[in-house]
Amino acid sequence: MIPPFETFYAEHNREVLGLLRRKLGPDRADDAFQETFLRALRAYDRLDHGEHLRAWVLTIASRVAIDVYRRTNATVEVPELAHEDPRPAYEDLGELTDGLPPKERAAVVLRYGYDLTYEQIAAALDSSPDAARQAASTGVRRLRKEKSA
Amino acid sequence: MSIPTDLDRRFRDAAARSGMLDAGYDLVQTPLGELLVAATDRGLLRISFDPDPDAELERIERLAGRRVLRSSASVDNVHRELDEYFEGRRHAFDLAVDLRGLTPFSERVLHELARVPFGETATYAGLAERAGKPKAARAVGTIMNRNPIPIVLPCHRIIGANGSLVGYGGGLDRKVALLTLEGVLL
């Protein structure tokens, strides 16, 4: 059951703004806030289910924060994922995937930790479903290699 | 804690401008109380008296899609025309309507209804006849009662053959108020 966008927005806007302010400071957070929810709106009618919407929108916010950071800073901050969520699968995966590049890590965690579809992951990462699938599988391969090494 | 009002408003305006909303809605204050007004890119979808926002949201979502957001910009023109109407400065609405979800007969009846002018009345039977089903006065009564866009589609102008007001989806007091505003009743 996917709620109307109004309900989704009202439920998560404070937390998204909080995250963006921590990452970017109050000035740059405002534009990033708008961009985050516009990206979510763009993808919203393609969602297959209404689970983990919080993790989904916080991931979008993290990606937007990186984009803003890249535009406005010389150095790049590695994003934190929405690790406040107590879901165990994610906790485990969070540690396990610690060494992956940000995009692969996000794809692996959202796919296997949150069971999101590649469509949803693509929306969160602002890329295509194929690219999301590829990032997840590259990430998993990399993890296997690390584990066997 | 809630987010700053201007930030909230900027997002809602941007969402309305983006063309990505399935429907936008807002609450509008009128002499008949607070109305919920919803519109899509096709036109005005809904006007509700005494709105229950949760139930309305669900209903709008069912009709138009899940990308529904409260945004005054989406219904600016409706708001303005309603203000003008209640101030007595507007006798005809210049608004497209979105009648999705209705049966073809309901649609036909509502199109005929829209042609009943300010300050005049018609009967249920008369409206049924204009919509091509002269015996369907009772069905027309039901359609009036469920009119998704009252005031703009003027079901308050439809009365019984004997001149009685019969009923109104938003309560008979409001029918009286609207007909008084239009000079039909004193």
Side-chain angles (χ1 to χ4, degrees):
Chain A
M1 174 69 193
I2 300 168
F5 193 83
E6 172 68 30
T7 309
F8 161 78
Y9 168 74
E11 201 163 309
H12 300 292
N13 61 16
R14 286 173 298 275
E15 196 173 3
V16 164
L17 185 61
L19 177 141
L20 292 170
R21 282 182 170 169
R22 281 198 304 283
K23 284 179 182 294
L24 296 169
D27 292 345
R28 290 184 297 178
D30 282 10
D31 288 342
F33 175 86
Q34 187 166 311
E35 176 64 25
T36 297
F37 278 105
L38 285 176
R39 281 192 199 177
L41 180 62
R42 190 173 303 130
Y44 203 70
D45 66 339
R46 299 197 306 263
L47 292 179
D48 296 329
H49 60 71
E51 288 168 50
H52 311 306
L53 289 177
R54 176 175 171 273
W56 180 65
V57 74
L58 290 176
T59 306
I60 296 176
S62 294
R63 296 300 306 181
V64 170
I66 296 175
D67 292 348
V68 170
Y69 204 89
R70 280 185 182 148
R71 276 204 299 271
T72 52
N73 284 62
T75 52
V76 175
E77 184 195 37
V78 174
E80 280 174 54
L81 284 164
H83 62 242
E84 297 92 341
D85 201 303
R87 186 184 162 86
Y90 173 71
E91 287 292 318
D92 293 348
L93 270 174
E95 263 177 50
L96 200 68
T97 57
D98 219 13
L100 292 182
K103 200 158 195 162
E104 289 174 20
R105 183 180 185 206
V108 169
V109 169
L110 290 178
R111 180 68 196 98
Y112 299 103
Y114 286 103
D115 199 28
L116 296 192
T117 64
Y118 288 116
E119 274 285 347
Q120 289 169 301
I121 298 169
L125 301 182
D126 203 26
S127 67
S128 68
D130 281 347
R133 188 190 302 274
Q134 186 149 18
S137 79
T138 309
V140 167
R141 265 205 310 280
R142 203 191 296 273
L143 287 176
R144 286 208 185 104
K145 212 183 284 172
E146 277 174 18
K147 213 175 155 208
S148 62
Chain B
M1 189 206 90
S2 58
I3 66 166
T5 315
D6 63 324
L7 181 63
D8 182 60
R9 171 154 196 137
R10 261 169 48 209
F11 167 66
R12 292 176 186 277
D13 286 352
R17 273 198 315 272
S18 75
M20 293 190 286
L21 291 182
D22 295 321
Y25 71 95
D26 201 11
L27 297 171
V28 172
Q29 307 302 325
T30 75
L32 296 189
E34 187 174 69
L35 306 180
L36 185 143
V37 177
T40 68
D41 55 357
R42 297 187 208 170
L44 180 54
L45 181 72
R46 199 157 163 71
I47 290 180
S48 320
F49 294 109
D50 309 315
D52 165 358
D54 286 345
E56 284 299 327
L57 256 181
E58 261 178 50
R59 184 179 176 138
I60 297 165
E61 180 186 21
R62 251 197 334 270
L63 283 172
R66 65 172 79 119
R67 293 190 292 185
V68 183
L69 188 70
R70 181 171 177 176
S71 94
S72 56
S74 301
V75 296
D76 257 354
N77 55 339
V78 185
H79 193 160
R80 193 181 57 249
E81 293 202 13
L82 283 172
D83 282 350
E84 291 166 355
Y85 171 79
F86 282 111
E87 287 162 11
R89 293 188 290 124
R90 172 176 288 278
H91 289 185
F93 291 99
D94 190 19
L95 297 166
V97 293
D98 181 347
L99 296 178
R100 72 179 83 185
L102 295 175
T103 65
F105 181 60
S106 295
E107 225 177 295
R108 210 154 66 234
V109 169
L110 292 175
H111 276 302
E112 287 303 321
L113 172 65
R115 298 164 62 170
V116 180
F118 182 96
E120 292 181 24
T121 58
T123 63
Y124 293 93
L127 190 57
E129 194 172 340
R130 289 186 213 176
K133 284 194 181 176
K135 288 179 183 161
R138 192 173 290 272
V140 165
T142 306
I143 293 166
M144 293 303 99
N145 188 256
R146 295 182 187 158
N147 178 8
I149 315 176
I151 306 173
V152 170
L153 297 179
C155 55
H156 58 277
R157 294 176 194 151
I158 306 305
I159 60 175
N162 61 2
S164 72
L165 295 183
V166 184
Y168 191 60
L172 209 54
D173 289 355
R174 288 184 170 127
K175 190 169 190 171
V176 171
L178 289 165
L179 290 174
T180 306
L181 170 79
E182 298 190 6
V184 174
L185 297 175
L186 293 179

